[in-house]
């Protein structure tokens, strides 16, 4: 088990509806030493990529993406949830359906902060059905930026997002892949990952 899998076993809580709660160290209270380790691990896994910017989505990706951006020495930009319909033309827009809140948000990135010279590393906390990542990829494509890789802290391997993103040909790295979890007895099963 890697450092993250060990922490999920120790402090993660399986909720009904295929939700894994990691509020004590990742999604609400954040363990900053663990964030640093996550940042270093993504830097190690994407060491051969020429990254110019890290991109994520509001809200829970932001903290993690900061630590990743610090390792690469590049800025971090996050897609903002926007209530007003944006027709001004100065932003890139994507529709993202929220897995946890079961609603659809329009997310935006200002055209000032993304362009066709950018080589992006996209970061998020969870990967479930892949809507958040697909929205971020759509924004990158609209800007003409290249997506060099995608880094996820916890992938739920029993949902479709990971397979879909890999089939699209993207370099997707997940630090922990949960293949099964059981809300009744609290068990979590990880996919074996070869030593990276
Ligand atoms: P997707 O767009 O891939 O369906 O879902 C990813 C987003 O939903 C992530 O940004 C994350 O915030 C949220 N999410 C999905 N599954 C879980 C989960 O099991 N636990 C938590 N805490 N968030 C999740």
């Amino acid at each position: 088990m890697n450092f993250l899998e060990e922490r999920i076993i120790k402090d993660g809580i399986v909720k009904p509806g295929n939700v894994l709660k990691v509020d004590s160290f990742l999604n609400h209270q954040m363990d900053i030493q663990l964030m640093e380790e996550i940042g270093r691990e993504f830097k190690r896994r994407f060491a051969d990529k020429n990254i110019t910017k890290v991109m994520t989505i509001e809200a829970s990706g932001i903290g993690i993406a900061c630590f990743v951006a610090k390792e690469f020495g590049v800025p971090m930009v996050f897609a903002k949830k926007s209530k007003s319909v944006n027709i001004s033309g100065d932003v890139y827009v994507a529709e993202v359906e929220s897995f946890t809140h079961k609603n659809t948000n329009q997310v935006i990135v200002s055209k000032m902060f993304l362009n066709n010279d950018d080589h992006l590393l996209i970061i998020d906390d969870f990967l479930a059905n892949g809507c958040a990542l697909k929205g971020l990829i759509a924004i990158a494509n609209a800007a003409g930026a290249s997506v060099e890789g995608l880094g996820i802290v916890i992938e739920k391997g029993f949902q479709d997002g990971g397979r879909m993103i890999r089939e699209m040909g993207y370099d997707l790295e997940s630090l922990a892949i949960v293949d099964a979890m059981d809300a009744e007895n609290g068990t979590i099963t990880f996919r074996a990952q070869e030593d990276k």
Side-chain angles (χ1 to χ4, degrees):
M1 263 200 282
N2 68 25
F3 68 96
L4 182 72
E5 292 166 335
E6 278 170 11
R7 188 59 181 267
I8 295 168
I9 292 293
K10 183 168 165 272
D11 291 330
I13 298 167
V14 183
K15 294 278 182 189
N18 285 335
V19 172
L20 176 61
K21 277 268 181 197
V22 286
D23 278 3
S24 65
F25 61 96
L26 191 72
N27 280 154
H28 191 159
Q29 173 172 262
M30 296 180 93
D31 178 333
I32 299 306
Q33 273 70 42
L34 185 80
M35 294 302 115
E36 278 182 340
E37 212 168 340
I38 288 171
R40 284 196 297 269
E41 181 61 16
F42 281 127
K43 169 74 176 148
R44 199 177 68 75
R45 292 196 187 201
F46 293 104
D48 59 332
K49 304 277 167 110
N50 171 33
I51 305 297
T52 63
K53 206 164 275 184
V54 171
M55 180 160 78
T56 188
I57 183 165
E58 195 174 35
S60 45
I62 295 175
I64 301 154
C66 285
F67 284 88
V68 180
K70 181 169 177 282
E71 290 298 322
F72 281 90
V74 299
M76 185 280 283
V77 64
F78 61 92
K80 286 187 174 207
K81 290 173 184 153
S82 161
K83 288 210 173 61
S84 54
V85 177
N86 264 288
I87 49 164
S88 58
D90 54 1
V91 291
Y92 300 113
V93 187
E95 296 277 326
V96 173
E97 199 185 309
S98 164
F99 176 82
T100 33
H101 299 108
K102 311 282 177 226
N103 60 359
T104 300
N105 282 298
Q106 208 177 39
V107 299
I108 57 158
V109 174
S110 167
K111 288 185 177 174
M112 280 194 294
F113 306 130
L114 216 49
N115 61 55
N116 57 11
D117 290 338
D118 275 316
H119 297 265
L120 302 177
L121 176 56
I122 293 177
I123 294 289
D124 205 4
D125 59 341
F126 272 91
L127 172 55
N129 295 323
C131 298
L133 288 189
K134 276 204 294 183
L136 292 172
I137 291 169
I139 285 176
N141 289 344
S146 66
V147 177
E148 297 295 331
L150 301 103
I152 293 293
V153 180
I154 306 171
E155 175 180 337
K156 292 189 292 180
F158 53 88
Q159 292 179 261
D160 254 358
R163 188 187 49 75
M164 200 178 59
I165 299 289
R166 291 187 181 95
E167 277 177 10
M168 288 163 82
Y170 289 105
D171 182 1
L172 169 65
E173 288 280 338
S174 299
L175 303 190
I177 303 179
V178 175
D179 262 344
M181 54 189 205
D182 185 334
E184 233 161 72
N185 54 28
T187 52
I188 300 170
T189 311
F190 294 107
R191 186 175 306 173
Q193 299 198 64
E194 55 209 73
D195 273 345
K196 301 252 178 187

